[in-house]
Amino acid sequence: MRLVSPNDEPVGEIELVEKKYRCRLREGFFLTMEDTLQIVATLNLSNTEYRVLLALLANLDYGNFIRKKQSIIASKTNIKPSNFSKALQKLKALGLVFVEDTDEGRLLRVSSALAWKGHANREFEAIYHKDSTRLSNEIQMLK
């Protein structure tokens, strides 16, 4: 591309280089559903139950799995393991968290109605468009 002065005289040339935007976020974020957060806000969770839920979300891995040991998460959040376990049982009963059998063994998994961490695949698209039977069932469990 040529640069010209206001009098249309050439003053030099420049080369335009297209710089692609590169997302710097590699870890530490997930998608959450506003509607479900509103439902969670009405569940009358105790402070410990909220803290456990937030700690689980903070340790969310791809596919919504929690791959860290409960004792480690409890220790990092200064919650006694027995209190952590009781709060976790309540979150399971409410359908916010459940246990799933995987190739890695039995892992905790946060409901995809609440949050999603992973690649944009069919499950994510179903959640985003709110047409998934699974998502609908999970949201109904929360109400």
Side-chain angles (χ1 to χ4, degrees):
M1 174 182 270
R2 295 183 60 200
L3 292 177
V4 293
S5 70
N7 299 336
D8 289 333
E9 296 175 8
V11 292
E13 291 188 16
I14 62 168
E15 181 180 339
L16 293 177
V17 177
E18 184 179 331
K19 185 174 182 179
K20 292 184 180 180
Y21 175 76
R22 188 171 183 180
C23 181
R24 302 259 186 249
L25 297 173
R26 297 266 181 222
E27 297 177 15
F29 66 96
F30 58 86
L31 172 91
T32 190
M33 303 299 182
E34 292 175 10
D35 295 346
T36 310
L37 288 178
Q38 186 61 46
I39 293 168
V40 170
T42 65
L43 292 177
N44 295 322
L45 297 176
S46 70
N47 286 341
T48 302
E49 291 160 352
Y50 272 117
R51 289 176 59 209
V52 169
L53 180 58
L54 290 174
L56 293 175
L57 291 172
N59 288 280
L60 203 59
D61 201 355
Y62 286 95
N64 282 22
F65 290 105
I66 307 296
R67 289 188 166 83
K68 290 184 181 175
K69 292 183 178 182
Q70 294 176 33
S71 58
I72 293 172
I73 298 172
S75 174
K76 285 186 175 184
T77 53
N78 295 321
I79 299 173
K80 292 180 183 177
S82 60
N83 292 341
F84 189 95
S85 181
K86 287 177 192 173
L88 188 58
Q89 292 307 316
K90 170 95 180 260
L91 297 176
K92 286 179 189 176
L94 291 170
L96 294 170
V97 179
F98 53 95
V99 176
E100 189 168 307
D101 291 320
T102 70
D103 293 341
E104 301 172 47
R106 293 173 56 85
L107 294 176
L108 281 175
R109 190 171 193 191
V110 173
S111 169
S112 55
L114 176 60
W116 179 256
K117 183 169 185 174
H119 298 288
N121 58 21
R122 286 187 188 139
E123 185 172 2
F124 173 84
E125 290 171 10
I127 291 166
Y128 183 77
H129 295 293
K130 296 187 177 185
D131 62 357
S132 165
T133 303
R134 177 179 164 191
L135 175 64
S136 297
N137 291 342
E138 289 181 10
I139 290 174
Q140 288 304 315
M141 285 178 56
L142 296 177
K143 290 184 177 180

